Amino acid sequence: MDFSRKLPIGLQSFKDLREKEFLYADKTEYIFRLANSSKVYFLSRPRRFGKSLLISTLEAYFLGQKELFKGLAIEKLEEAEKEKREIWQEYPVFHLDFNVGKYSDIEALNTNFNVFLSELEKRYGTAEEEDNFAKRFEGLLKRAYEKTGKQVVVLVDEYDKPLLQTMSVNEKLNEEYRAVLKAFYSVLKSADQYIRFAFLTGVTKFSKVSIFSDLNNLRDISMEEDFGCICGITQEELEKTFQPEIKILQEREACSYEDILLMLKQRYDGYLFNQNSINVYNPFSLLNAFAKKELGNYWFETGTPTFLVNYLKNYSYNIPDLDGNVEMDASGLSDYRAESGSVIPILFQAGYLTIKSYDKLVRLYKLGFPNDEVRYGFLYNLFPSYCNVVYAEGPFCIAQFYRDIIAGRVEDFMQRLKSIMASLPYSNVKKDSNENLALREYNYQICIYLVFALMGQFVEVEIPSSKGRTDCVVKTGTAIYIFEFKLKEDAKTALNQIKEKNYAERFKADNKQIVLIGVSFDPEEKTVGEWIKEEI
């Protein structure tokens, strides 16, 4: 084992990364490009995607810490500029980090601002008439410029954390945060003459009519082709930087080098932020897989999207659409508007969905899960909301379904399916109302989809993506199971449909036992009613 190879898991300091010789996929070409084009930027990327390290790298560059960039791409790029301008200049840097703290009340935000501004005021002074955060911030920018003769660099990390923590939990506080943040960030325009460079990061870009409405000088690079790989790890960077780690995983999995690359790609790759860019891997998951020498699920361990799950449930969203059948235009993806009634922009910006394709004619993006880690992690988070299973028991429950079907225990499989649907609360509407019946039917369909989709980790499964269809196919080593689920008809009708539509014909060449299973729904019991099995 080579202990000299240090993996930068969770490392957010570029100075530490370079001085302590951690592995690094060189992103400094992007730093040079940013510093020498526009002035005020915004970048949205999912959590745990390297935004804080990017901010730290920008800070080191604008502090003129040339020694940290030795041997990196930016060293040569800067050197080529020395005849045109002074290189490796040092600027005053204002770095505001919202990562720390829980924003459960307005005082939490006020404290963060006070600490940030007070530290700067010790260096650059105060003015009595500056009686709010925005005025203090603007005054500091002016005095820093006057004292140093250099324009100021402003770096804001995770600007939206207070908003994300209160979204759908405390709307009144969320609105209060919006007002404070809007006033504060508007200074980036009013004090433009004192600013050399500004860079804001976050997960979600809230609508321009709120937080950033005054910043018409803001350049959003979140979906720009040239910055598609500014965070995350490309295939080329993976194979160039982490080859020894890949080979260790190859040995653990007892497979070929090509196969381990394919396995890594399927589990952690797939994030695409522009249709003409290239896919990137989730760096947090990739580094953890190398450190633990196991292809595990790491990203979802760092947070659960509770408000997203609640939204999808409350609005009866067709969950199968999330796996490659969501469409939205560029403006819808880049800005989140609470009043829009759609959670898709947040699912995209937060990393649960990514670009799968682009229809140039109608200018619509098709979205889906980026990889298996996100697909199964997200579906497991949904599972308790649609099935009578607590979150911690989800993986065990799906494993039991898999074991039943592999062993040919259809009766056990169906009884288990019946039990996880029973006793679920649907809503507070009247028991016999049409709305309640619709909710029962919706829950029935989504529960079926989740069970079969999650089984897809272990066995080949075919699930329809179109709304209303409830036929599923499971292929094991010895048998093929064809299910037809009926909402308003009996199990015999379901079985007859499999036969009449000749679903089994395309599987006969496989030379496996084919089992047909017709299933009905019991609206009174809110679960599986009867089922009929027939072997052919």
Side-chain angles (χ1 to χ4, degrees):
M1 185 178 294
D2 187 355
F3 290 102
S4 68
R5 295 184 60 79
K6 301 176 184 177
L7 295 165
I9 299 174
L11 195 65
Q12 298 180 1
S13 167
F14 183 73
K15 188 173 187 290
D16 281 354
L17 183 145
R18 296 296 289 165
E19 289 182 343
K20 296 176 182 177
E21 299 182 334
F22 282 86
L23 297 174
Y24 177 59
D26 188 355
K27 300 287 185 179
T28 58
E29 180 185 343
Y30 294 106
I31 303 298
F32 182 84
R33 199 181 302 171
L34 288 168
N36 292 283
S37 31
S38 297
K39 191 172 186 178
V40 183
Y41 294 92
F42 172 76
L43 175 69
S44 166
R45 284 294 182 269
R47 59 188 171 81
R48 296 292 194 174
F49 228 80
K51 298 189 297 295
S52 296
L53 181 59
L54 177 64
I55 287 280
S56 180
T57 310
L58 285 164
E59 182 172 20
Y61 172 77
F62 282 110
L63 288 174
Q65 296 173 337
K66 178 181 177 180
E67 68 282 0
L68 297 179
F69 295 89
K70 188 173 179 60
L72 299 178
I74 199 171
E75 184 180 37
K76 290 182 179 179
L77 293 169
E78 281 287 301
E79 189 66 22
E81 293 287 307
K82 68 179 181 180
E83 300 298 327
K84 304 175 187 176
R85 60 173 173 83
E86 182 184 349
I87 61 174
W88 298 110
Q89 293 188 60
E90 180 179 355
Y91 295 88
V93 176
F94 292 7
H95 183 176
L96 177 55
D97 187 358
F98 284 100
N99 274 304
V100 180
K102 186 174 183 181
Y103 298 93
S104 54
D105 54 49
I106 193 65
E107 284 307 311
L109 181 60
N110 291 344
T111 298
N112 200 336
F113 273 133
N114 263 319
V115 169
F116 167 66
L117 296 169
S118 296
E119 285 298 314
L120 292 170
E121 285 166 344
K122 290 176 186 176
R123 196 181 318 164
Y124 300 112
T126 62
E128 190 175 335
E129 66 274 13
E130 295 167 2
D131 56 0
N132 61 48
F133 297 136
K135 288 181 180 178
R136 288 168 67 187
F137 184 34
E138 187 169 14
L140 280 163
L141 289 168
K142 182 180 179 181
R143 288 190 294 276
Y145 173 70
E146 292 171 343
K147 185 173 182 178
T148 65
K150 296 282 185 70
Q151 291 176 304
V152 180
V153 170
V154 180
L155 304 174
V156 182
D157 197 8
E158 301 289 7
Y159 92 95
D160 58 346
K161 191 168 182 181
L163 301 174
L164 288 173
Q165 286 190 358
T166 51
M167 185 190 296
S168 301
V169 176
N170 189 334
E171 288 300 331
K172 184 179 179 182
L173 183 58
N174 191 274
E175 284 298 319
E176 205 171 348
Y177 282 160
R178 284 171 186 254
V180 173
L181 292 171
K182 179 182 178 180
F184 188 81
Y185 294 132
S186 68
V187 174
L188 296 177
K189 182 182 178 184
S190 62
D192 181 73
Q193 68 268 38
Y194 308 122
I195 296 174
R196 161 66 178 86
F197 180 90
F199 197 88
L200 292 79
T201 73
V203 170
T204 300
K205 187 182 179 190
F206 288 89
S207 170
K208 289 180 180 177
V209 301
S210 55
I211 304 299
F212 297 130
S213 59
D214 296 329
L215 294 183
N216 56 8
N217 59 337
L218 180 73
R219 179 178 171 184
D220 182 358
I221 61 170
S222 304
M223 293 182 67
E224 286 191 18
E225 178 182 352
D226 288 345
F227 295 99
C229 304
I230 192 170
C231 292
I233 296 173
T234 67
Q235 188 69 35
E236 182 180 353
E237 289 167 343
L238 169 67
E239 295 184 49
K240 179 181 177 182
T241 310
F242 301 103
Q243 190 179 76
E245 287 72 26
I246 296 171
K247 287 184 175 179
I248 290 172
L249 273 177
Q250 175 195 346
E251 292 173 6
R252 291 294 176 95
E253 294 291 332
C255 63
S256 69
Y257 190 74
E258 290 71 24
D259 283 345
I260 194 63
L261 286 177
L262 187 61
M263 291 161 74
L264 286 167
K265 191 173 190 65
Q266 187 172 340
R267 188 173 287 267
Y268 305 123
D269 191 24
Y271 293 90
L272 187 64
F273 300 102
N274 178 280
Q275 67 274 19
N276 297 315
S277 187
I278 58 176
N279 292 348
V280 291
Y281 286 79
N282 181 324
F284 181 79
S285 297
L286 200 58
L287 293 174
N288 271 282
F290 291 148
K292 294 176 172 56
K293 302 174 180 61
E294 183 180 352
L295 298 174
N297 297 321
Y298 304 106
W299 191 60
F300 267 85
E301 292 178 0
T302 65
T304 302
T306 307
F307 77 94
L308 296 176
V309 172
N310 291 340
Y311 177 95
L312 294 169
K313 173 75 172 178
N314 294 339
Y315 284 85
S316 299
Y317 192 88
N318 187 44
I319 303 302
D321 283 350
L322 296 176
D323 208 354
N325 285 292
V326 177
E327 285 190 313
M328 187 161 280
D329 65 6
S331 62
L333 289 180
S334 60
D335 285 351
Y336 172 69
R337 299 171 186 264
E339 69 276 10
S340 70
S342 175
V343 77
I344 298 304
I346 293 186
L347 285 170
F348 171 71
Q349 293 169 11
Y352 302 110
L353 298 179
T354 197
I355 296 169
K356 307 303 284 188
S357 62
Y358 179 68
D359 188 325
K360 193 173 181 179
L361 182 64
V362 294
R363 298 179 183 176
L364 288 177
Y365 293 94
K366 183 163 280 190
L367 310 177
F369 296 123
N371 52 50
D372 282 352
E373 182 187 37
V374 176
R375 173 182 292 105
Y376 296 122
F378 194 75
L379 295 180
Y380 270 127
N381 272 271
L382 292 177
F383 198 40
S385 296
Y386 295 91
C387 308
N388 191 25
V389 178
V390 298
Y391 176 75
E393 294 178 2
F396 171 77
C397 179
I398 296 300
Q400 290 302 106
F401 276 115
Y402 162 71
R403 289 168 179 158
D404 286 342
I405 208 73
I406 285 294
R409 298 191 295 261
V410 174
E411 291 298 314
D412 291 346
F413 182 95
M414 293 307 304
Q415 285 291 352
R416 194 178 308 282
L417 189 60
K418 183 174 183 176
S419 68
I420 68 168
M421 287 189 194
S423 305
L424 272 175
Y426 283 82
S427 71
N428 55 4
V429 297
K430 293 180 180 179
K431 183 178 179 181
D432 57 351
S433 70
N434 290 333
E435 183 182 353
N436 190 278
L437 179 60
L439 284 169
R440 295 179 193 181
E441 293 176 350
Y442 162 75
N443 202 92
Y444 174 69
Q445 290 177 306
I446 300 304
C447 183
I448 290 168
Y449 167 78
L450 290 173
V451 168
F452 283 87
L454 286 166
M455 278 185 13
Q457 300 169 89
F458 316 116
V459 66
E460 187 177 352
V461 175
E462 294 180 17
I463 315 164
S465 57
S466 59
K467 194 169 184 176
R469 286 191 61 194
T470 49
D471 50 300
C472 301
V473 177
V474 180
K475 302 177 184 179
T476 72
T478 58
I480 295 171
Y481 298 87
I482 302 174
F483 293 81
E484 177 66 35
F485 295 87
K486 286 294 183 186
L487 285 168
K488 299 175 181 177
E489 297 171 275
D490 58 23
K492 185 176 181 181
T493 303
L495 187 67
N496 287 339
Q497 180 172 316
I498 300 175
K499 295 177 182 178
E500 289 166 6
K501 295 199 174 183
N502 210 13
Y503 289 165
E505 183 63 30
R506 64 191 178 98
F507 301 113
K508 288 182 178 177
D510 292 356
N511 292 320
K512 294 180 181 179
Q513 179 188 28
I514 298 176
V515 182
L516 314 181
I517 304 164
V519 187
S520 67
F521 174 62
D522 185 335
E524 291 301 316
E525 296 298 323
K526 301 178 291 188
T527 186
V528 169
E530 60 174 345
W531 59 88
I532 301 173
K533 181 183 79 169
E534 185 174 308
E535 298 178 10
I536 60 173

